Amino acid sequence: MSKKRHREQPTVDAQVVEIYEDLANESEEIRLKAAQSLLSKSAYENSPSGEQLDKTLSRLIRGLCSGRKAARLGFSVALTELLIQLLGPSRRDVEGFSLSVVGLIRLLEEQTRVTGNVSGQEERDHHFGRLFGAEAIIKSEIIFQPDIPIEDWSHLLDIIYNLAKKKPSLREECGWILYSAVQRLDAQNASSSYVQTLVDKLHSNGLTKSPEGVAIWIGVRMAHQLVNLPKGVWHRENPLHQKENTTLAKILKEATTAEAPQHGASKITQKGTWNSKLHFAWDTVLASLLFDSGLDRSQCITFQDFWIETVDNGLFAASSSEERKYWGFLLFQRYFLIIPRHLLATIFSKNFLRCLINQLSSQERYLHRIAEKAMKVIHSRVEKEPQIAPVVIMALMGPSVQINFDFLTKTKTVEKLLACVQVDALIDTVIPFFTDLLLHPRVNDETVARTRRQQIADQMVAIVRSIPSTREANAASATYHDAISTILAPFVKLGFFQIVAQEAPINRPEPPISNASRQMFQSRISSCLTHLISRTVNPASHPYDIVCAIRHHEQVDDETKSVFEADDSIRKVMHQAWKILDTLHAKEHSAPVARKSYIHAFELLYSLTILQVYSGDADAVSLLDELKQCYDSLVRHKSKDGREGGSEVLTEILLTLVSKPSLLFRRLAQQVFSACTSSMTVNGLQSMFKVLETKESILGQGEMFDQVDSDKSDGEMSDVEEFHLASGDGVSSTSEHDADELSANSESEVEDLDDTDDELAAFDAKLAQALGTRRADQDLVADDDVESTDEDMDDEQMEALDEHLEKVFLERKKVKSKKNEKKEAKETVVNFKCRVLELLEIYIKQQYADALALDIILPLLNLIRSTTSKQVAEKACKLLREYSRLCKGRGLSKPGDGDKAFGLLQQVHLMAMKEGSNAYGNACSQASILMAKLLAALDRENLRRVVSMYATTQEHFLFDSHCKVKTSFFSDWLNWCTSARKSSAS
């Protein structure tokens, strides 16, 4: 019996297996390292056998057919380098290796041939493997060697063209390989016969009028002028000829052309699937139109014509598919970054902008994300090149689109671009463009025109806000000042005047400026000034320029007519105000530095008050008379009595300004008050304290604004009576009074709810009486024997019922109106108090070392205790804390009279004994310690009397149940005593 022979297992080189595995790795670094290892093993120095090299070549070609990971990329690189090593010019003969170029091409065909019944995916893998193999042969350049017959090149071209015709999905890859071969042959200065063969086969295969054919044709014209191009394909053999614009557009967007195939070639099969990447032919065509390509441009289409016809009317047409519009956005993103500046406006074409606006307007749009990427590309280049910002802005708001781009797209695109515009470009380009849009908003309807003018005005205000302040800008402030003046000029002209130009109709607004638009321009001036007066070295500079511009148009400009109408008395007041303003403006240059802020403050006041007169504010004229009194007292006269009277009038003026619901007047008052705090008098402070004492009600509002009505008293309790320590009864009665008042304040909301319930009940009763019905719960307790009737009412009864119901609902409306009136009155008073506290904060920060500042302590404590607004209480507490923080070291106030300071401290302790919130208790403690510090700074022996006062207060705390002082009042004092002792010891 014979023994069974065992099959010998082939030996496997683990290192080679690992190399082939790494060639398919997704990491490029690993793939290149594996390719280098394979080339080293196949190098002549390592004496490889011919059989080993044949196996390696076959293995690499088969690897090109693999679809796993990145196999084609790794194997194609290794194959290319191995072909250069084995068949290139520096090759060495290896024993047993006799493969030629033609044999290599046959091996490629054999290894990538599809045989048997295979799946579609496997068939595609083999086609890709054949294509990558052909590309490796071309990249290795072994086929372009002089000793290689041209027939081998022709054979390889047939393989590529057959793939392009057989598989439309591979046609772009095939075209790219051939286009790259044209560029490679140009770099090698190879014989033109190679290119001639390529072009002839391109034409014979019917691919000349395909995107690939266009790119190859242009590449040949640019690099190989000796090649004879086929006749009759393009006009004068130039696909970029002016007469080929329409045909070129159809080809690039891959639409079927109407021309029949020539020389019996079959019609080009269109791709069955859409590719999200742009075809390389776009880059070839656009690069040849944008940059110097060596072609004769005399009869070529221009970039503008190509973009409009091919991209705008082709890809972005209203009837185009979303896929083609996607290509259009890709083109825009790619070429916006590299297009020359003089052509930037071209690519913002009509259909593109329409599509961009539509896609940006809603996140539900199919192309919303790609449209957002387009906007990011715009911003990225503008940030790098601010010089192009004006071009982009005018393109986005140009004649091909509506001017309200940001409104339509729900973005801030134009606003962000405006922030990038350089100042010189603002003055020379952007502002004149916006001014023209204000005059001619491109619509005839007055309502639409008003809306568009407002949108443009808002954009101009945004420019003002984006310009750096002259306090922060490194550049010369004059440049920024000129830019802002250029922006404000059209607001002044259109806001206060009618344009009556006859010789220059282009300067006349069309449609005419309405009264609503004129008021809008005036309000935009106020918005700009609100921003500017606190951000410039001289806050009066821009307001002064504005009123001077108004005077110039009024006196010199024949093309404008003022809408301001005034009688002789007002004109007289205005004339006098102008004289004072001109005097102030002349003094600001020669005034001492310490007095310049004072001059600027009055110049600002006069400028804005004159502006208000032109705006039609009736109170502004009387304000000018009061300002003259201040000017005569504080600027012209030096007598003490005159200065005190002027300071009081100025304080009243500033209080009038902050009482108005205008941020501009609020900033104005703060600027002026900041310059005049050193002139503040006792009476001036008392005027401010009077506001803080006002009741937060309709009655308080009437007292504050001189609108007292006898029937509007809401029955609020009067201010708190004085607290006397000497009498226990006094303490008791006053504490009860305080408790009642605080209880009334804390329960006000509950009372409001009760009032609301009572009002609803009364309304229900009246409504039931009118209808002759009752509520459902009343029906349950109604007598069962009550007869009801189902008879219908006649017309007269219905009319009577309607009248009765109308009266009922009218009464209900009056009740609601009264409640709203109370609420609005409280909000008005609270806002006024907040504005006054802001002024007092300015005063404290500048004059905290002045003994007069001590007068602010008691009014603040009263305000914290009595207010029903949390906002007001917090502001007052913050102000007292700030005062206490500033008063330390050399910044301590020095009260001239010690007895007066002790009297103030006594009042603080009396107030600390009253009922109040924790915040009120803390404020009393801070005020008391502040006074203790001031008295100790005068004479340390004063602390003995302070200790005695604290002891008296503590005695009342222990033995008088009506004394409501907080325990923190004493703990804060002990803590301060500890720190004061340590500081004195050191």
Side-chain angles (χ1 to χ4, degrees):
M1 184 176 179
S2 61
K3 292 183 180 180
K4 185 176 180 180
R5 297 178 60 187
H6 293 283
R7 180 179 297 177
E8 295 182 2
Q9 297 292 333
T11 59
V12 178
D13 190 338
Q15 185 180 5
V16 173
V17 173
E18 184 179 358
I19 289 175
Y20 285 125
E21 183 66 28
D22 289 345
L23 284 176
N25 197 286
E26 294 178 350
S27 171
E28 182 180 8
E29 183 179 356
I30 295 176
R31 292 198 304 269
L32 293 177
K33 187 176 180 181
Q36 185 177 7
S37 300
L38 183 63
L39 292 175
S40 298
K41 292 182 69 68
S42 304
Y44 180 81
E45 290 76 10
N46 292 329
S47 303
S49 64
E51 182 181 2
Q52 288 176 336
L53 294 178
D54 289 337
K55 287 183 178 180
T56 301
L57 284 174
S58 298
R59 181 67 185 88
L60 289 176
I61 293 174
R62 288 198 307 272
L64 296 176
C65 300
S66 172
R68 67 187 182 94
K69 297 182 180 179
R72 292 193 184 97
L73 297 176
F75 278 79
S76 63
V77 169
L79 178 61
T80 301
E81 296 300 323
L82 185 59
L83 290 178
I84 295 173
Q85 184 173 298
L86 296 179
L87 300 176
S90 58
R91 63 182 180 273
R92 295 184 181 184
D93 293 334
V94 177
E95 184 178 356
F97 181 76
S98 59
L99 187 68
S100 62
V101 173
V102 63
L104 175 65
I105 296 174
R106 290 171 182 168
L107 178 64
L108 174 64
E109 289 181 301
E110 179 183 347
Q111 294 290 341
T112 59
R113 183 177 292 114
V114 179
T115 58
N117 186 16
V118 297
S119 64
Q121 180 61 47
E122 188 175 351
E123 182 181 7
R124 284 190 294 272
D125 289 339
H126 279 76
H127 289 320
F128 270 113
R130 179 170 294 188
L131 184 60
F132 272 77
E135 183 182 24
I137 294 174
I138 294 175
K139 284 184 176 180
S140 66
E141 300 180 358
I142 59 174
I143 201 167
F144 303 131
Q145 298 177 91
D147 58 337
I148 304 300
I150 194 68
E151 289 76 11
D152 293 352
W153 169 240
S154 178
H155 187 186
L156 187 63
L157 289 176
D158 288 336
I159 294 175
I160 298 174
Y161 280 121
N162 287 334
L163 281 174
K165 292 174 63 179
K166 185 177 181 181
K167 292 295 179 183
S169 59
L170 294 178
R171 191 168 65 234
E172 183 177 349
E173 293 294 333
C174 295
W176 172 251
I177 292 172
L178 297 175
Y179 178 80
S180 301
V182 172
Q183 307 300 318
R184 193 178 299 276
L185 289 169
D186 176 49
Q188 278 190 345
N189 292 323
S191 172
S192 60
S193 58
Y194 293 102
V195 180
Q196 186 69 60
T197 303
L198 187 151
V199 172
D200 291 342
K201 288 187 175 294
L202 176 73
H203 183 54
S204 63
N205 284 279
L207 295 175
T208 49
K209 289 199 172 181
S210 65
E212 299 77 21
V214 170
I216 293 171
W217 194 291
I218 293 175
V220 171
R221 278 179 57 87
M222 291 171 56
H224 302 276
Q225 285 82 8
L226 298 179
V227 173
N228 295 320
L229 295 170
K231 303 293 183 181
V233 179
W234 302 101
H235 190 80
R236 296 193 177 182
E237 288 71 55
N238 184 7
L240 302 181
H241 195 275
Q242 297 171 357
K243 294 185 177 181
E244 299 290 356
N245 197 3
T246 302
T247 304
L248 183 62
K250 290 182 178 181
I251 292 173
L252 288 177
K253 68 179 184 178
E254 298 188 12
T256 305
T257 57
E259 300 180 10
Q262 300 178 3
H263 300 285
S266 60
K267 191 174 182 180
I268 300 175
T269 305
Q270 297 300 306
K271 294 181 180 179
T273 57
W274 172 71
N275 192 350
S276 61
K277 296 181 180 179
L278 279 174
H279 198 287
F280 74 92
W282 286 101
D283 290 334
T284 304
V285 173
L286 287 169
S288 61
L289 294 176
L290 283 174
F291 311 109
D292 185 15
S293 57
L295 298 176
D296 182 13
R297 295 181 177 271
S298 59
Q299 293 183 332
C300 285
I301 56 176
T302 62
F303 175 81
Q304 294 91 325
D305 293 338
F306 173 80
W307 185 271
I308 297 299
E309 178 66 26
T310 308
V311 180
D312 199 56
N313 295 335
L315 300 182
F316 285 113
S319 58
S320 293
S321 64
E322 302 292 347
E323 289 77 12
R324 284 179 177 166
K325 291 175 182 176
Y326 184 89
W327 282 347
F329 279 115
L330 291 180
L331 281 171
F332 177 85
Q333 293 176 33
R334 181 175 300 180
Y335 284 92
F336 179 83
L337 295 174
I338 62 175
I339 192 172
R341 295 179 187 174
H342 69 279
L343 293 175
L344 270 175
T346 302
I347 62 175
F348 289 94
S349 46
K350 181 179 180 179
N351 290 331
F352 163 70
L353 286 172
R354 173 187 51 78
C355 185
L356 179 65
I357 292 172
N358 290 338
Q359 299 300 329
L360 286 174
S361 62
S362 173
Q363 294 183 356
E364 303 300 322
R365 299 281 185 174
Y366 185 71
L367 300 177
H368 179 76
R369 294 181 65 183
I370 190 70
E372 285 185 325
K373 290 182 179 178
M375 299 312 301
K376 291 179 180 179
V377 169
I378 292 175
H379 287 297
S380 65
R381 182 172 179 183
V382 170
E383 289 174 358
K384 295 177 182 178
E385 302 177 53
Q387 302 87 347
I388 69 171
V391 179
V392 177
I393 291 171
M394 290 189 289
L396 292 176
M397 305 176 66
S400 60
V401 293
Q402 298 184 23
I403 60 179
N404 49 348
F405 182 87
D406 283 0
F407 176 77
L408 294 174
T409 59
K410 301 179 180 67
T411 63
K412 294 185 178 181
T413 301
V414 175
E415 184 176 335
K416 292 178 181 178
L417 293 175
L418 286 171
C420 300
V421 180
Q422 297 173 331
V423 179
D424 294 339
L426 274 177
I427 299 174
D428 300 334
T429 307
V430 177
I431 302 306
F433 172 71
F434 278 5
T435 303
D436 181 66
L437 291 179
L438 291 176
L439 293 171
H440 311 102
R442 303 174 191 155
V443 289
N444 295 323
D445 184 82
E446 184 177 335
T447 304
V448 179
R450 182 173 69 247
T451 302
R452 290 194 176 185
R453 282 169 174 152
Q454 180 175 341
Q455 291 167 347
I456 295 299
D458 290 340
Q459 297 283 9
M460 297 173 75
V461 173
I463 298 176
V464 173
R465 291 171 177 164
S466 67
I467 293 178
S469 70
T470 55
R471 299 179 187 272
E472 303 168 358
N474 295 325
S477 60
T479 306
Y480 293 96
H481 185 92
D482 293 342
I484 293 172
S485 299
T486 307
I487 295 171
L488 294 174
F491 288 174
V492 172
K493 191 172 184 179
L494 300 177
F496 295 96
F497 296 91
Q498 292 179 352
I499 311 298
V500 293
Q502 300 295 333
E503 298 181 358
I506 192 173
N507 293 330
R508 290 202 305 268
E510 188 61 38
I513 303 295
S514 63
N515 290 331
S517 293
R518 193 169 286 111
Q519 293 176 2
M520 179 272 297
F521 287 126
Q522 294 176 11
S523 70
R524 294 308 179 270
I525 292 175
S526 298
S527 298
C528 293
L529 293 180
T530 301
H531 175 78
L532 292 171
I533 61 175
S534 60
R535 294 172 60 84
T536 52
V537 176
N538 179 9
S541 59
H542 292 294
Y544 178 77
D545 289 345
I546 289 175
V547 293
C548 286
I550 294 176
R551 180 169 60 173
H552 171 78
H553 286 297
E554 202 173 33
Q555 297 178 352
V556 180
D557 194 353
D558 296 331
E559 295 185 352
T560 58
K561 178 182 178 183
S562 177
V563 297
F564 173 66
E565 297 179 357
D567 54 25
D568 293 339
S569 60
I570 296 178
R571 292 286 181 185
K572 183 179 179 180
V573 174
M574 289 287 289
H575 178 71
Q576 192 176 45
W578 273 114
K579 288 179 62 177
I580 296 175
L581 180 59
D582 291 337
T583 303
L584 288 169
H585 187 69
K587 283 184 176 181
E588 71 174 21
H589 301 291
S590 59
V593 176
R595 194 165 173 78
K596 268 192 175 183
S597 61
Y598 210 70
I599 300 297
H600 287 163
F602 271 90
E603 186 180 357
L604 175 63
L605 260 177
Y606 262 98
S607 298
L608 287 180
T609 306
I610 291 174
L611 183 63
Q612 286 305 111
V613 174
Y614 279 111
S615 299
D617 189 349
D619 298 333
V621 178
S622 60
L623 194 61
L624 285 175
D625 292 331
E626 297 176 1
L627 277 177
K628 185 179 183 304
Q629 181 181 349
C630 296
Y631 173 76
D632 292 338
S633 301
L634 299 175
V635 180
R636 294 181 62 187
H637 302 299
K638 306 298 182 181
S639 65
K640 184 176 180 181
D641 295 339
R643 292 188 63 185
E644 289 182 357
S647 176
E648 294 171 15
V649 175
L650 181 61
T651 304
E652 293 294 339
I653 291 174
L654 297 182
L655 290 176
T656 302
L657 292 175
V658 297
S659 67
K660 297 179 180 293
S662 169
L663 183 58
L664 174 60
F665 289 146
R666 176 182 168 187
R667 295 274 176 86
L668 166 63
Q670 291 174 355
Q671 286 286 333
V672 176
F673 189 78
S674 177
C676 303
T677 52
S678 59
S679 303
M680 186 58 59
T681 62
V682 175
N683 292 334
L685 286 177
Q686 289 300 323
S687 298
M688 304 175 76
F689 298 156
K690 186 177 180 181
V691 175
L692 301 181
E693 295 169 359
T694 305
K695 299 174 183 178
E696 297 164 1
S697 63
I698 295 178
L699 181 61
Q701 183 187 32
E703 293 174 352
M704 187 181 301
F705 299 103
D706 297 329
Q707 297 172 352
V708 180
D709 193 350
S710 59
D711 62 341
K712 287 188 177 180
S713 176
D714 57 356
E716 287 190 8
M717 301 179 65
S718 60
D719 234 352
V720 182
E721 296 178 3
E722 190 174 351
F723 194 111
H724 297 283
L725 280 177
S727 169
D729 296 338
V731 173
S732 175
S733 61
T734 307
S735 299
E736 291 174 359
H737 180 84
D738 297 337
D740 291 341
E741 181 181 7
L742 289 171
S743 176
N745 289 336
S746 63
E747 295 176 0
S748 59
E749 295 182 0
V750 178
E751 291 177 358
D752 289 341
L753 292 176
D754 293 340
D755 291 342
T756 302
D757 293 338
D758 294 341
E759 291 168 2
L760 287 175
F763 175 71
D764 288 340
K766 291 180 180 179
L767 186 61
Q769 182 182 0
L771 296 175
T773 62
R774 51 177 168 261
R775 297 198 312 266
D777 56 347
Q778 293 176 347
D779 285 338
L780 294 175
V781 298
D783 295 335
D784 295 334
D785 57 345
V786 176
E787 296 183 358
S788 61
T789 177
D790 294 332
E791 295 180 359
D792 294 334
M793 291 184 291
D794 55 22
D795 293 342
E796 294 181 359
Q797 291 175 325
M798 288 292 292
E799 291 178 1
L801 178 62
D802 289 341
E803 294 177 0
H804 200 172
L805 288 175
E806 185 178 354
K807 292 180 181 179
V808 172
F809 282 103
L810 185 60
E811 291 178 5
R812 173 64 174 167
K813 186 176 181 181
K814 289 181 180 179
V815 172
K816 287 186 176 180
S817 177
K818 189 173 182 179
K819 291 182 64 177
N820 291 335
E821 187 179 358
K822 289 182 180 180
K823 181 180 179 182
E824 291 173 0
K826 179 179 178 180
E827 290 177 354
T828 301
V829 177
V830 167
N831 288 333
F832 195 7
K833 288 185 178 182
C834 289
R835 302 294 84 80
V836 172
L837 288 173
E838 290 172 358
L839 294 181
L840 289 175
E841 183 179 5
I842 295 173
Y843 177 78
I844 286 297
K845 287 182 178 179
Q846 295 187 5
Q847 302 297 324
Y848 60 88
D850 192 346
L852 186 60
L854 294 173
D855 291 353
I856 202 175
I857 294 177
L858 292 181
L860 286 180
L861 293 179
N862 275 320
L863 177 64
I864 296 170
R865 182 171 180 269
S866 62
T867 183
T868 58
S869 170
K870 183 179 179 181
Q871 180 185 9
V872 172
E874 289 178 348
K875 276 184 171 290
C877 291
K878 179 182 177 183
L879 179 55
L880 196 57
R881 285 196 301 270
E882 181 68 12
Y883 187 18
S884 179
R885 184 188 66 82
L886 293 172
C887 290
K888 58 182 179 181
R890 295 183 179 180
L892 284 171
S893 299
K894 295 181 179 180
D897 188 355
D899 293 335
K900 182 180 178 181
F902 275 111
L904 180 58
L905 178 59
Q906 180 76 12
Q907 291 296 320
V908 171
H909 278 246
L910 288 172
M911 297 193 70
M913 296 181 192
K914 298 177 181 179
E915 182 77 26
S917 63
N918 290 332
Y920 171 73
N922 292 334
C924 290
S925 177
Q926 286 180 344
S928 179
I929 292 175
L930 172 61
M931 294 307 303
K933 287 194 295 185
L934 298 180
L935 289 168
L938 284 176
D939 187 352
R940 188 169 178 80
E941 289 299 317
N942 287 334
L943 287 178
R944 298 183 184 275
R945 187 173 173 184
V946 174
V947 171
S948 176
M949 294 178 66
Y950 266 97
T952 303
T953 304
Q954 191 169 15
E955 180 182 352
H956 280 278
F957 175 69
L958 290 174
F959 299 105
D960 190 346
S961 62
H962 298 290
C963 181
K964 303 297 182 181
V965 67
K966 306 291 182 183
T967 55
S968 60
F969 188 81
F970 305 107
S971 60
D972 292 343
W973 163 248
L974 290 176
N975 291 334
W976 182 83
C977 289
T978 303
S979 61
R981 180 181 180 183
K982 290 181 180 179
S983 61
S984 62
S986 61

